Amino acid sequence: SMKGLRLTIAKHTITTILDTLGENDFVNIIAYNDYVHYVEPCFKGTLVQADLDNREHFKLLVEELQAKGMGKVKKGMKEAFRILNQFNQTGQGSLCNQAIMLISDGAMEDFKTVFEDYNWPDRKIRVFTYLIGREVTFAENVKWIACNNKGYYTQISTLADVQENVMEYLHVLSRPMVINHDHDIIWTEAYMDSALFASQAQSLLLMTTVA
């Protein structure tokens, strides 16, 4: 049901989320209307490593998405839970945080049975919700989804709002680690440092950064 500016904002939200992921993450993107379909059919029913190639591939596919029919959120949620639960049971992936990012311009359905079947009472999978557009009619329902699944709700009305609102999910995921004083050492992918070329090395050098 998304069209025009709302669809543009939704696409930008997805690509911004992809930019927050790294090689230790596993991801997939599910589009939903009257039925569920994967933006990349080759990745159907699984998660793939969020390396640079896959992220860029997903971005291209997201740009090609078109609004068709009515968005049936419940079908998309069920499929997302099914994949994550399957991944968890088989010991695949990073075996760390699991999350669903729901991007929608409205949700009228009753989701209680979905969460009872797939996520309650343990709530191992967090659900973060992004309500696209200025419409507030569905805000309470979309907020309820996030609050009852250890996630975070935000409304994105303009393209300028995307970056700040997307980053909120990282704060939520990091809280348990901060409380437990955990700190994972993270290395970036190799990159070319042009500053060194200008200053001293006189040639592009491969660099990496640790945090």
Side-chain angles (χ1 to χ4, degrees), residues 9-81:
I9 294 172
K11 289 179 178 181
H12 188 42
T13 301
I14 296 169
T15 56
T16 303
I17 291 172
L18 286 171
D19 284 335
T20 66
L21 305 179
E23 291 194 348
N24 291 327
D25 300 309
F26 290 79
V27 65
N28 207 334
I29 301 175
I30 299 172
Y32 56 89
N33 42 36
D34 294 320
Y35 62 95
V36 168
H37 64 278
Y38 290 78
V39 296
E40 173 50 83
C42 294
F43 297 156
K44 182 177 180 179
T46 189
L47 300 175
V48 295
Q49 189 175 14
D51 57 26
L52 183 60
D53 288 342
N54 283 334
R55 294 199 307 269
E56 293 303 314
H57 182 56
F58 274 131
K59 288 180 186 179
L60 293 174
L61 295 171
V62 166
E63 282 304 312
E64 296 172 3
L65 286 175
Q66 301 293 324
K68 296 178 182 178
M70 201 65 166
K72 301 294 178 64
V73 178
K74 187 179 290 188
K75 292 183 178 180
M77 293 286 286
K78 284 182 177 180
E79 183 67 9
F81 275 119

Side-chain angles (χ1 to χ4, degrees), residues 159-172:
L159 285 169
D161 295 335
V162 172
Q163 186 75 30
E164 180 181 354
N165 283 299
V166 163
M167 292 305 169
E168 291 293 342
Y169 93 87
L170 293 173
H171 299 153
V172 176

Side-chain angles (χ1 to χ4, degrees), residues 52-125:
L52 183 60
D53 288 342
N54 283 334
R55 294 199 307 269
E56 293 303 314
H57 182 56
F58 274 131
K59 288 180 186 179
L60 293 174
L61 295 171
V62 166
E63 282 304 312
E64 296 172 3
L65 286 175
Q66 301 293 324
K68 296 178 182 178
M70 201 65 166
K72 301 294 178 64
V73 178
K74 187 179 290 188
K75 292 183 178 180
M77 293 286 286
K78 284 182 177 180
E79 183 67 9
F81 275 119
R82 189 187 66 78
I83 298 173
L84 287 170
N85 284 328
Q86 178 181 304
F87 229 62
N88 192 39
Q89 289 166 8
T90 55
Q92 295 173 282
S94 300
L95 300 177
C96 192
N97 288 307
Q98 288 192 314
I100 294 172
M101 311 306 203
L102 174 63
I103 298 161
S104 174
D105 62 351
M108 297 181 291
E109 302 157 87
D110 181 5
F111 301 94
K112 186 176 180 181
T113 56
V114 177
F115 302 135
E116 286 175 342
D117 291 343
Y118 292 95
N119 205 36
W120 293 350
D122 297 333
R123 293 173 169 80
K124 291 182 178 178
I125 299 172

